Amino acid sequence: MNDQQDNPIREAITTAIHGNEVILFMKGTPEAPACGFSARTAGALRSLDVPFAAVDILPDPRIRQELSAYSQWPTIPQLFVGGELVGGCDIVLEMLETGELAELLGVDGAAEPLPAPAVSNGGTLQIENQH
Amino acid sequence: MPDAVDIKSRIEAAIPGAQAEVEDWTGGGDHFRATVVAPSFAGLSRIEQHRLVYRVFGEEIGGPIHALSLTTHSE
């Protein structure tokens, strides 16, 4: 992409998505979610006891803008696994219920967690790693 | 401001064969919950099905429509 160089936020987003096996873009943080949909989605991941990275999109409106342009998904939260968009709150909760989420994340119920996600070194996004 | 009836008819008009049930989740006119059944969803992933519904509303999602919670089925 031609404008990649001029677009550090887009670049930080794609780097974060590809550098973290499981990453959730949300409003607020898993400890202090700022929206019920984000809270429920983070809760779904926690219920499976998988480590995941979390990005709060609220500090800069451009994060949400660039994320939605990249993912072609209009709402927050957005969960990515292995670099692919899994969905927002509705899809994640539906997949939690059907067991598809556990399967996708390679856990069955309370089985072994995934390897810890890579730690970000970028300054553009605040990425938290959840264990 | 859109209401549930509005949202239902726009989904049904835009997606061939779709039948939608829409409720105003909070009564505040900005959080809606919709179940959409459309034969044209067959063969599409959940993500693609939801994208088709979101696309009906474009920029309104996240604007006047703060949230549109979706359940989609092909039959």
Side-chain angles (χ1 to χ4, degrees):
Chain A
M1 274 247 264
N2 204 5
D3 60 351
Q4 189 95 330
Q5 277 181 324
D6 303 329
N7 197 333
I9 292 183
R10 175 78 71 100
E11 206 183 333
I13 288 169
T14 55
T15 302
I17 288 170
H18 293 286
N20 292 277
E21 179 61 23
V22 184
I23 183 165
L24 178 66
F25 291 85
M26 64 183 292
K27 292 181 180 175
T29 63
E31 294 75 32
C35 166
F37 300 100
S38 288
R40 286 196 286 280
T41 308
L45 291 173
R46 286 185 149 178
S47 76
L48 293 177
D49 206 21
V50 289
F52 63 99
V55 176
D56 180 3
I57 60 106
L58 290 177
D60 186 334
R62 291 174 300 175
I63 300 173
R64 181 192 180 147
Q65 215 176 332
E66 291 297 334
L67 176 64
S68 287
Y70 169 80
S71 64
Q72 294 296 295
W73 192 258
T75 53
I76 302 296
Q78 297 186 21
L79 175 68
F80 292 79
V81 175
E84 296 288 332
L85 176 65
V86 174
C89 181
D90 297 324
I91 289 178
V92 169
L93 292 188
E94 204 177 317
M95 289 177 73
L96 176 67
E97 250 171 60
T98 60
E100 288 164 89
L101 188 63
E103 195 181 324
L104 176 69
L105 295 171
V107 294
D108 25 56
E112 59 215 288
L114 293 171
V119 175
S120 153
N121 54 3
T124 314
L125 299 179
Q126 294 299 319
I127 303 177
E128 281 190 29
N129 288 311
Q130 300 294 312
H131 296 280
Chain B
M1 191 181 284
D3 65 19
V5 176
D6 231 11
I7 289 178
K8 171 185 165 69
S9 55
R10 286 174 65 188
I11 292 172
E12 291 179 347
I15 300 174
Q19 289 196 305
E21 281 174 39
V22 182
E23 61 173 318
D24 185 334
W25 205 346
T26 59
D30 56 2
H31 287 67
F32 297 93
R33 180 151 51 178
T35 301
V36 184
V37 181
S40 51
F41 287 158
L44 301 180
S45 68
R46 275 198 199 89
I47 290 263
E48 290 165 331
Q49 294 175 5
H50 287 213
R51 272 196 187 119
L52 283 178
V53 180
Y54 283 141
R55 207 163 283 158
V56 175
F57 302 99
E59 298 282 305
E60 290 170 75
I61 303 280
I65 303 174
H66 177 85
L68 176 60
S69 178
L70 293 177
T71 307
T72 55
H73 304 284
S74 61
E75 56 187 38

